[in-house]
Amino acid sequence: MLNFKKDLNDAQYRAVIEFKGPSLVIAGAGSGKTRVLTYRIAYMMANNIEPSKIMGLTFTNKASVEMRERIAMLVPQNSRQVVLGTFHAVFGKILRNEAEHIGYTSNYTIYDTENSKVLIRQIVKDLDLDSKIYKDIKVLKRISAAKNHMITASAYEAHHEIIQNDRYHNMSELSKIYLLYEERCKKANAMDFDDMLLNTYFLFKNHSEVLEHYQNRYDYFLVDEFQDTNLVQYEIIKMLATKSKNLCCVGDDAQSIYSFRGAQIANIKKFRDDFNAKIYKLEQNYRSTKTIVNAANSIIGKNKGQIPKNLFSENQIGKPILIKELYSEKDEAEFVAEDIKTKILTKHYHFKDFAVLYRTNAQSRIFEELLRRQNIPYRIYGGFSFYQRAEIKNVLAYLFVISNPSDDISLLRIINFPRRGIGDTTIKKIRQYAKRKAISLWEALKDIESEKLSLSSSVILKIKEFTYTLNTFIEDKDIKNVFDLTESVLKTFGILSFYAADDDFVEKKENVEELLNSIYDFVSENDGDTEQDISLAAFLQTISLITDMDNQKQEDINAVTLMTVHSAKGLEFPIVYIVGMEDNLFPSIMTLDSPIKLQEERRLFYVAITRAMDELSILYCQRRYKYNKHEFPNISRFLLEIDSRFYEYYGTNYSMLKNKMATTHTKK
């Protein structure tokens, strides 16, 4: 029998039991927000709310899996009926069910960043533009930013201010690229990650009967990490919850650090104004020592316009934070390596208890070198995703085309893989033919004997063999389960045999076998569950929405973690080193001329501090090698903002020494 009053503190308890109406739960770092979300859902179920009437939205698969597991432990019966997943996963299923309303079919492909970049490079080439000016990642970021602000390609083209800005940045053709990008995605029956949100928004906005269906289907909505939502996400949530008003948003304005992804801290104020939401504050930190929490408060207190809260800890006082000056980045890395070794020997910590946090990825190199030299195991968080490996992407490309033959990007990847004698010149002719006829690449391949293509009889035969074989799989995709289908694809097209001559064949074979394992798990875990879709399209959507972070298994690897502060959000480590605390690095040079951006950098530093459980060291250098020269940076202005009662300082900075002397004098 659950005892909610006993298991929760007073603030958590109120946020759990008062589940009707709009509520904003401001959850300070380490204050147990996941506990509140899971107990709130459990409490609703205990009070006869049908689990299928509850929708919970998160930002990572890892978060949704953890929440689902916790709910199942609290309320074993019917917990799987709760609709719980990432924004993209939940809305992706809605889009598949309602695809015809927006001109798609239910087996649409989800383009990852790499696929989107390939398409943009093709468009830039087709328009005969300079690829050095119109770099794929730069163009993609501009298109993504537009979508996050609900600006479609046609609206972009008609927006005078945006067009003027593009001209100023020597990218006057960007609106044409966006139009073609949108057009080709639609023709390929494909969406990128931003499209999934934007299309959900327009689905509900333009089809009132569809919106009403989902408003009636769900009565209660919960949103995790609400401070990270962008404008589109908020508008969708607002539309869904307008009828029932039972919307619970959990977040922390002090941890809003993703504006570069389109996140809007202003959504917190919008929600309060739009729904007149009741505010609950979770202020007890269960993670860190009193000293670490107090230091974090002294930093974040310098930001303006916050929701007032006083984070506190009832843990031990703990050691003072160490702020240390080193001469160079090499000395900085050597200090960290030696300190890790000392603490492992003297305090019996494990390597996995340590994390090194930095502002930019480039800072990791020197730490990797020094840790390797000292035989200290490490891993870089957010490294190369399993699903981004070439051998995995090649197999998945076959599955994407079988599911959605209009997917030109995936078809181009497999048309001559494994090599079957269909060369670049032939592919170019087929692409040009498809463009002239305004048809997909697959349709062009099926019309391969057209005289206009001028192909040799031997090439035509190879293409016909390829299309015939692939078409048998397309016809079988709804008959065979995904596992059997994939096994058959591997054998029929000789994919593993092709890799046999590679030096790293064993590794590639193991990776492909691991992909088969994941498919087997997907089928076996969901088989027999009428609520779960185990189609090929459903599997492809699931793996398309897996992020690098979801692939990391922190507890499985006994190694020091190296990661950016942005990647560290939501994690915790007994011992943390924040390195490179110098102006122009942290805070970033890109933020120094903007008070708003500087406030976000301060929130980022607050996030870094609150990752530490037991001990925290903050390091900076007198000299740093950047841009092929030695620079002598100033100490980070954020270090001067930490209350000097909570740290020990070892360095030569006059202001820091003055602060410590003032503290010592006050004590006397």
Side-chain angles (χ1 to χ4, degrees):
M1 183 74 178
L2 281 171
N3 189 331
F4 292 92
K5 185 77 173 171
K6 183 182 176 184
D7 292 348
L8 304 164
N9 67 35
D10 289 344
Q12 291 172 335
Y13 182 68
R14 286 195 300 277
V16 164
I17 65 167
E18 297 174 12
F19 62 85
K20 293 191 176 179
S23 56
L24 174 62
V25 181
I26 300 298
S31 63
K33 79 175 169 58
T34 305
R35 190 176 187 82
V36 166
L37 281 166
T38 52
Y39 269 77
R40 186 179 174 106
I41 291 171
Y43 187 84
M44 283 193 274
M45 291 173 66
N47 281 269
N48 300 316
I49 302 297
E50 290 182 36
S52 60
K53 289 283 190 179
I54 303 168
M55 177 188 288
L57 299 169
T58 69
F59 274 86
T60 65
N61 292 306
K62 182 181 176 185
S64 61
V65 168
E66 182 184 352
M67 283 178 60
R68 189 173 291 285
E69 287 173 350
R70 290 200 195 185
I71 294 165
M73 288 174 67
L74 295 170
V75 191
Q77 284 189 330
N78 301 325
S79 63
R80 283 177 65 88
Q81 292 179 26
V82 175
V83 174
L84 186 59
T86 65
F87 283 87
H88 289 89
V90 173
F91 297 159
K93 287 180 181 177
I94 291 174
L95 288 172
R96 283 207 292 118
N97 290 334
E98 312 295 341
E100 71 279 1
H101 288 98
I102 54 171
Y104 283 84
T105 63
S106 61
N107 60 333
Y108 66 85
T109 296
I110 299 171
Y111 277 177
D112 64 13
T113 303
E114 284 307 309
N115 286 339
S116 294
K117 283 161 66 176
V118 168
L119 180 53
I120 285 167
R121 288 197 294 270
Q122 287 178 3
I123 293 168
V124 168
K125 189 175 181 181
D126 291 346
L127 292 174
D128 199 24
L129 299 173
D130 188 342
S131 60
K132 292 178 182 177
I133 294 173
Y134 293 93
K135 292 181 179 177
D136 53 18
I137 191 65
K138 191 175 181 181
V139 172
L140 188 58
K141 281 182 178 178
R142 299 280 276 239
I143 292 173
S144 177
K147 290 178 182 178
N148 285 335
H149 287 85
M150 300 190 295
I151 300 171
T152 61
S154 56
Y156 190 102
E157 188 183 35
H159 200 296
H160 177 72
E161 191 177 330
I162 291 176
I163 298 301
Q164 287 295 103
N165 186 53
D166 286 345
R167 285 176 184 156
Y168 176 78
H169 288 95
N170 197 27
M171 297 181 78
S172 57
E173 302 300 309
L174 210 145
S175 60
K176 286 184 184 175
I177 298 173
Y178 188 4
L179 278 166
L180 279 171
Y181 179 82
E182 188 179 86
E183 179 187 304
R184 292 190 187 180
C185 281
K186 193 75 176 281
K187 188 188 289 184
N189 193 34
M191 302 183 200
D192 64 21
F193 296 131
D194 296 315
D195 289 329
M196 294 179 74
L197 299 177
L198 195 58
N199 285 335
T200 304
Y201 168 75
F202 283 119
L203 170 69
F204 289 155
K205 184 174 184 288
N206 298 332
H207 301 276
S208 56
E209 74 286 2
V210 176
L211 174 61
E212 188 176 358
H213 168 75
Y214 288 99
Q215 285 175 334
N216 293 332
R217 182 170 175 177
Y218 301 105
D219 289 336
Y220 295 87
F221 303 89
L222 300 94
V223 182
D224 188 20
E225 302 286 11
F226 182 64
Q227 78 282 345
D228 295 335
T229 54
N230 61 28
L231 181 61
V232 190
Q233 287 165 323
Y234 176 66
E235 290 299 326
I236 296 169
I237 297 160
K238 180 180 171 183
M239 284 192 281
L240 283 171
T242 292
K243 186 173 182 180
S244 72
K245 300 288 193 296
N246 295 319
L247 173 58
C248 173
C249 297
V250 181
D252 182 8
D253 56 325
Q255 296 186 70
S256 178
I257 60 172
Y258 293 120
S259 66
F260 66 94
R261 293 182 188 167
Q264 296 201 4
I265 192 172
N267 284 347
I268 291 177
K269 185 178 186 303
K270 279 185 186 174
F271 174 49
R272 292 170 68 183
D273 294 344
D274 290 343
F275 285 85
N276 192 25
K278 185 174 182 179
I279 296 179
Y280 301 83
K281 296 179 184 179
L282 307 183
E283 298 174 301
Q284 183 173 352
N285 176 292
Y286 291 92
R287 175 186 298 150
S288 309
T289 64
K290 284 186 172 74
T291 297
I292 292 170
V293 169
N294 290 335
N297 283 338
S298 70
I299 282 288
I300 204 64
K302 302 294 190 297
N303 269 6
K304 296 175 182 177
Q306 299 183 92
I307 295 174
K309 59 180 172 296
N310 180 38
L311 200 65
F312 69 93
S313 172
E314 292 185 355
N315 296 337
Q316 60 184 353
I317 293 173
K319 291 178 65 174
I321 293 169
L322 171 68
I323 300 180
K324 189 172 179 63
E325 175 187 286
L326 285 308
Y327 180 66
S328 69
E329 59 265 54
K330 182 182 178 186
D331 296 323
E332 186 180 49
E334 283 179 344
F335 172 81
V336 170
E338 289 297 332
D339 199 55
I340 289 171
K341 286 170 70 176
T342 300
K343 285 183 166 66
I344 283 176
L345 287 171
T346 60
K347 299 187 178 180
H348 307 295
Y349 282 108
H350 301 284
F351 288 118
K352 66 182 180 181
D353 296 328
F354 297 84
V356 181
L357 309 183
Y358 36 76
R359 180 65 182 81
T360 66
N361 280 305
Q363 291 169 260
S364 73
R365 181 196 59 81
I366 190 68
F367 289 94
E368 291 184 67
E369 287 182 12
L370 266 295
L371 293 177
R372 266 200 307 267
R373 199 176 299 166
Q374 298 271 17
N375 292 318
I376 295 173
Y378 70 89
R379 56 91 181 248
I380 298 184
Y381 205 95
F384 204 55
S385 165
F386 173 79
Y387 291 100
Q388 291 301 319
R389 297 176 191 276
E391 61 270 25
I392 301 303
K393 290 202 72 149
N394 288 336
V395 177
L396 291 177
Y398 272 96
L399 299 184
F400 277 120
V401 174
I402 292 165
S403 174
N404 172 25
S406 299
D407 180 358
D408 286 359
I409 298 296
S410 295
L411 185 52
L412 281 170
R413 190 178 185 103
I414 66 169
I415 193 170
N416 197 37
F417 173 84
R419 284 189 288 272
R420 53 179 61 90
I422 304 173
D424 291 344
T425 303
T426 300
I427 293 169
K428 186 178 179 181
K429 287 181 179 179
I430 298 167
R431 284 192 64 209
Q432 289 171 341
Y433 179 71
K435 188 179 178 182
R436 284 197 308 271
K437 299 270 286 184
I439 57 176
S440 72
L441 216 59
W442 176 247
E443 290 171 309
L445 288 175
K446 290 196 293 183
D447 195 23
I448 203 64
E449 292 185 273
S450 168
E451 292 178 8
K452 293 177 183 178
L453 277 164
S454 304
L455 298 176
S456 69
S457 56
S458 61
V459 169
I460 290 173
L461 181 62
K462 289 169 186 173
I463 292 173
K464 287 179 75 174
E465 286 175 356
F466 171 66
T467 52
Y468 175 80
T469 308
L470 197 58
N471 198 58
T472 61
F473 286 100
I474 293 169
E475 291 174 350
D476 285 351
K477 69 181 178 185
D478 296 323
I479 302 169
K480 286 186 175 180
N481 71 46
V482 191
F483 181 80
D484 293 338
L485 190 78
T486 309
E487 263 199 329
S488 188
V489 164
L490 289 170
K491 291 174 185 173
T492 303
F493 290 101
I495 293 172
L496 286 178
S497 301
F498 173 78
Y499 286 130
D502 291 4
D503 293 337
D504 53 356
F505 168 64
V506 173
E507 182 183 350
K508 287 179 177 176
K509 181 173 181 287
E510 287 174 348
N511 286 335
V512 172
E513 286 172 349
E514 184 58 32
L515 173 64
L516 281 171
N517 290 341
S518 73
I519 296 171
Y520 180 80
D521 288 344
F522 172 81
V523 172
S524 59
E525 285 173 10
N526 298 308
D527 196 17
D529 188 339
T530 55
E531 295 289 318
Q532 297 299 318
D533 184 354
I534 58 171
S535 66
L536 174 60
F539 169 74
L540 292 173
Q541 177 166 298
T542 300
I543 59 101
S544 294
L545 298 177
I546 291 174
T547 66
D548 290 351
M549 192 168 270
D550 296 317
N551 289 319
Q552 303 288 339
K553 295 185 179 179
Q554 182 184 333
E555 65 280 359
D556 293 346
I557 305 171
N558 187 26
V560 175
T561 298
L562 307 180
M563 68 197 317
T564 64
V565 183
H566 281 104
S567 297
K569 187 160 175 293
L571 303 176
E572 59 185 29
F573 301 89
I575 299 176
V576 170
Y577 303 90
I578 306 173
V579 300
M581 284 305 301
E582 300 130 31
D583 266 8
N584 294 348
L585 189 53
F586 201 171
S588 164
I589 191 171
M590 306 293 287
T591 66
L592 300 184
D593 60 349
S594 167
I596 292 173
K597 290 180 180 177
L598 200 56
Q599 289 210 135
E600 179 159 335
E601 287 288 293
R602 189 177 286 110
R603 293 196 294 270
L604 189 61
F605 184 41
Y606 171 81
V607 167
I609 290 173
T610 53
R611 300 311 94 199
M613 299 164 69
D614 302 339
E615 295 184 28
L616 173 63
S617 298
I618 305 175
L619 313 177
Y620 69 94
C621 299
Q622 292 179 334
R623 187 191 78 177
R624 188 171 290 275
Y625 193 71
K626 290 173 71 178
Y627 313 118
N628 296 318
K629 64 178 182 178
H630 286 110
E631 295 186 350
F632 296 87
N634 292 323
I635 186 173
S636 172
R637 63 194 68 192
F638 294 154
L639 294 186
L640 301 174
E641 296 175 355
I642 303 176
D643 190 319
S644 56
R645 292 174 297 168
F646 306 123
Y647 64 77
E648 289 180 352
Y649 176 64
Y650 297 90
T652 61
N653 182 272
Y654 174 74
S655 298
M656 293 290 287
L657 290 167
K658 185 180 175 183
N659 288 348
K660 282 306 294 181
M661 286 177 68
T663 306
T664 306
H665 181 72
T666 304
K667 285 180 181 177
K668 288 180 179 178

